[in-house]
Amino acid sequence: MSITGVSSRSNLVAPTASSLAGSSSKFRAKKLAPANVANTRTVAATRSSTSSKRPSGGDVSRETSRKSKRRKKDADVDVDELQCASYALELLSHGGLRNHVIGALVSDNSLQLLYYDRSIILISEPFDFIVDHSHLVITLNALAGFNARQWGYALPPLEPAYSLPEPRDRDRLFDGLRLTLKNGRQLRLMDTIFHQHSLIGRGTCVVRATCVGAEVNKSDGWEGTVIVKFSWPSKSRMAEPTIIEEARQMAVESGDTWVLDHLPMVLYSEDTEWTLLSPVLIELLGNKYEKRVLRIMVQEELFPITDRRTAPELAVSFREIFRCMFLV
């Protein structure tokens, strides 16, 4: 889709962002492990900290060696890029349902465009915006014309979190929002049960919901509270609803129907392709880029083992958990 930092002359960017693509003729792709992003403050603190004790004469060589190794290690880490990645991490984890985040790194007269999604990080080559005024104007003009989808918000089917009248805690971020599924059903989202804190990966988000706007058949599982699971899995891998359905069928065919108490009944599932990068660019990236889909799965609500209050109940649950490992 959008901010790849590739030259428009190379025709690598989708038409929706071709004007912004003039930011640079080169870009580089990075895969940054979530653990590295989470440790941004640690890296910065390590770089700036100093010892309060002066080493003795015999320890000078060892201390010098340690500092040399530390400098060499830090030389491979761009702290500014890590800090920007940490901002993207928070936006993708607690900024609503988002496919990607776009940012910029400004250092003195230099500007770089940054693009983060669930599979890759793209960083443009810097340009001098003081010298190259037209480059800056083109970039700002393109950004000003972006809609919510181009900024990474997954809508439809869900209205963006920034449209809420007041800020919310992350466990209530989706509370009250309407989700319209492709089958025509509407769900009113409630509290967030889990939202994965990650940059690269599925970015799984689990939310409670109730069906609204249509008559709910008591026998079809949509009555009462249901669970909505948003995730960004790899397009090439077997879908989770398929795996669950095959496991449930296997349990029925083998006569082990008790397994069904530990596998959710999937009421509905839909996939939407949200990759907005240019197909030509994706082809150039090759195996560095993993195509993903937005998967929305609606299932019945299961309950944690901590709801078991007595020893006999816990014994049954533990026994069945271990049996599931060998049967499914």
Side-chain angles (χ1 to χ4, degrees):
M1 153 196 172
S2 45
I3 316 305
T4 60
V6 188
S7 172
S8 57
R9 293 189 294 273
S10 60
N11 197 27
L12 297 182
V13 185
T16 54
S18 58
S19 58
L20 180 57
S23 59
S24 176
S25 59
K26 298 180 181 179
F27 72 94
R28 51 196 170 95
K30 300 186 71 174
K31 279 195 173 183
L32 187 60
N36 291 339
V37 176
N39 292 331
T40 302
R41 295 184 180 85
T42 304
V43 173
T46 302
R47 174 171 279 193
S48 61
S49 61
T50 56
S51 173
S52 60
K53 295 183 179 180
R54 185 178 182 86
S56 61
D59 294 334
V60 170
S61 59
R62 288 198 300 270
E63 182 68 17
T64 303
S65 176
R66 281 196 296 269
K67 287 183 177 179
S68 176
K69 290 179 180 179
R70 185 186 307 152
R71 280 196 298 268
K72 183 177 181 181
K73 182 178 179 181
D74 286 351
D76 298 331
V77 177
D78 191 312
V79 177
D80 292 332
E81 289 182 5
L82 278 174
Q83 185 175 4
C84 290
S86 71
Y87 298 151
L89 169 66
E90 296 304 318
L91 288 171
L92 285 174
S93 301
H94 309 300
L97 189 62
R98 302 191 69 168
N99 170 70
H100 61 267
V101 169
I102 297 166
L105 174 60
V106 179
S107 178
D108 296 327
N109 300 344
S110 173
L111 187 147
Q112 291 175 279
L113 296 176
L114 312 171
Y115 170 90
Y116 308 85
D117 68 15
R118 302 293 180 176
S119 294
I120 205 167
I121 299 172
L122 298 177
I123 303 176
S124 74
E125 289 293 329
F127 72 92
D128 190 322
F129 57 86
I130 298 297
V131 175
D132 194 349
H133 300 88
S134 60
H135 205 157
L136 178 63
V137 172
I138 290 173
T139 301
L140 295 178
N141 183 66
L143 290 173
F146 273 22
N147 57 33
R149 179 186 175 97
Q150 290 171 318
W151 281 114
Y153 289 96
L155 75 153
L158 192 65
E159 57 187 292
Y162 67 73
S163 66
L164 299 174
E166 76 285 338
R168 294 186 178 182
D169 296 334
R170 60 188 182 186
D171 59 344
R172 294 184 56 252
L173 188 59
F174 301 99
D175 191 9
L177 298 184
R178 291 288 185 98
L179 172 65
T180 302
L181 302 174
K182 292 180 180 179
N183 65 357
R185 288 187 183 267
Q186 282 195 338
L187 298 176
R188 180 188 178 277
L189 302 184
M190 300 162 64
D191 59 303
T192 301
I193 301 173
F194 171 78
H195 200 159
Q196 186 178 13
H197 192 249
S198 67
L199 185 57
I200 304 297
R202 290 172 173 261
T204 302
C205 179
V206 182
V207 183
R208 287 190 179 90
T210 56
C211 190
V212 296
E215 184 177 351
V216 180
N217 190 336
K218 294 183 179 180
S219 63
D220 66 4
W222 289 83
E223 183 187 29
T225 303
V226 296
I227 298 300
V228 180
K229 181 177 180 180
F230 303 98
S231 62
W232 306 88
S234 171
K235 181 180 179 180
S236 61
R237 298 187 181 183
M238 180 181 290
E240 182 181 359
T242 303
I243 297 174
I244 294 175
E245 183 59 29
E246 290 184 358
R248 290 179 65 89
Q249 289 181 1
M250 187 185 302
V252 173
E253 293 170 359
S254 64
D256 296 299
T257 54
W258 57 269
V259 175
L260 302 180
D261 292 333
H262 301 277
L263 292 172
M265 180 173 64
V266 178
L267 305 174
Y268 177 79
S269 177
E270 68 179 43
D271 289 358
T272 303
E273 293 194 29
W274 276 88
T275 301
L276 299 181
L277 289 176
S278 164
V280 179
L281 176 59
I282 293 175
E283 184 178 351
L284 286 175
L285 291 172
N287 59 8
K288 290 183 179 181
Y289 190 77
E290 186 175 27
K291 293 182 180 179
R292 296 179 181 272
V293 297
L294 168 60
R295 178 166 298 144
I296 302 176
M297 186 170 69
V298 183
Q299 64 184 55
E300 65 175 329
E301 185 174 16
L302 298 184
F303 300 93
I305 194 173
T306 51
D307 284 1
R308 297 293 196 180
R309 300 298 182 183
T310 66
E313 289 177 335
L314 281 171
V316 171
S317 294
F318 274 115
R319 182 170 62 251
E320 291 185 349
I321 288 172
F322 281 102
R323 291 181 66 192
C324 280
M325 292 176 61
F326 294 98
L327 290 175
V328 179

